[in-house]
Amino acid sequence: MDSHGQVEQRVVWAVVDSGIGPLLLAATREGLVNVVFHATDAVRDRAVERLASRLGTEPAEAPGSALLAEAIRQVEAYFAGERRDFDLPLDWSLISGFNREVLRELSSGVPYGTVVGYGDLAGRVGQPGAAQAVGTAMGANPLPVVVPCHRVVESGGGIGGFGGGLETKRKLLALEGVLPEPLF
């Protein structure tokens, strides 16, 4: 508690290796709040600054934190091919409105090894004409991989865009058996 008797927001983070490069994982007492691709020093520093600004507290590097332990274990198991689903508490505080609604539907309704079109996902949340807005929601996803925006593709068969880069999206889809493994 702080000096005013309020519960302090605590944010902890760690960088973990994955099959797609270093990932920054950040958590609060509510759950996993952020996953950041390509977490080199510069990317990591910007992500931590953004979290501090958005959540109102300075995130602490704490790879051994109990708040992160299960998330790290599950992410490592996913990339080792030993886990298909994430069963983690999630802190949705970095996203709201339509974007949150779409990401919650994606998280619960598009299983490992499957894909969904942007328009189809829009229809699932009652907005059948909002395919472009679904694309925006995917780009705003604060929890990629765990909330699997890589599973959202163009209805015509194209791979679509991806905040982590198209090569990263291809690797994630290959890991899940949707695409063949990249040759190199």
Side-chain angles (χ1 to χ4, degrees):
M1 291 210 184
D2 66 15
S3 61
H4 296 65
Q6 301 293 314
V7 174
E8 286 182 75
Q9 171 73 310
R10 178 151 189 245
V11 182
V12 294
W13 63 271
V15 174
V16 297
D17 288 326
S18 75
I20 55 170
L23 294 175
L24 180 138
L25 305 181
T28 67
R29 286 182 176 90
E30 297 295 316
L32 190 66
V33 70
N34 203 200
V35 176
V36 178
F37 291 115
H38 315 298
T40 59
D41 291 349
V43 170
R44 178 203 65 212
D45 292 348
R46 282 193 305 275
V48 169
E49 286 174 19
R50 259 192 325 277
L51 282 169
S53 173
R54 300 272 315 272
L55 298 175
T57 188
E58 192 60 40
E61 183 175 14
S65 170
L67 296 176
L68 286 169
E70 186 60 16
I72 290 170
R73 190 185 74 68
Q74 289 189 29
V75 165
E76 288 173 343
Y78 171 82
F79 282 103
E82 300 164 357
R83 180 171 203 91
R84 294 175 151 232
D85 301 304
F86 293 96
D87 184 19
L88 296 168
L90 301 177
D91 179 337
W92 293 94
S93 63
L94 294 178
I95 196 134
S96 61
F98 176 79
N99 291 355
R100 184 187 291 189
E101 185 180 358
V102 168
L103 291 171
R104 283 184 180 266
E105 172 59 31
L106 173 64
S107 183
S108 64
V110 183
Y112 182 97
T114 66
V115 294
V116 65
Y118 293 93
D120 293 336
L121 190 53
R124 289 186 187 191
V125 296
Q127 300 290 329
Q132 217 170 358
V134 166
T136 300
M138 295 306 103
N141 182 4
L143 295 160
V145 180
V146 175
V147 177
C149 52
H150 59 278
R151 296 180 190 153
V152 183
V153 297
E154 295 174 351
S155 59
I159 194 167
F162 195 61
L166 291 181
E167 188 57 32
T168 299
K169 186 172 187 172
R170 284 185 191 94
K171 286 180 180 179
L172 289 166
L173 291 173
L175 175 70
E176 295 189 9
V178 175
L179 292 176
E181 288 287 337
L183 295 175
F184 48 88

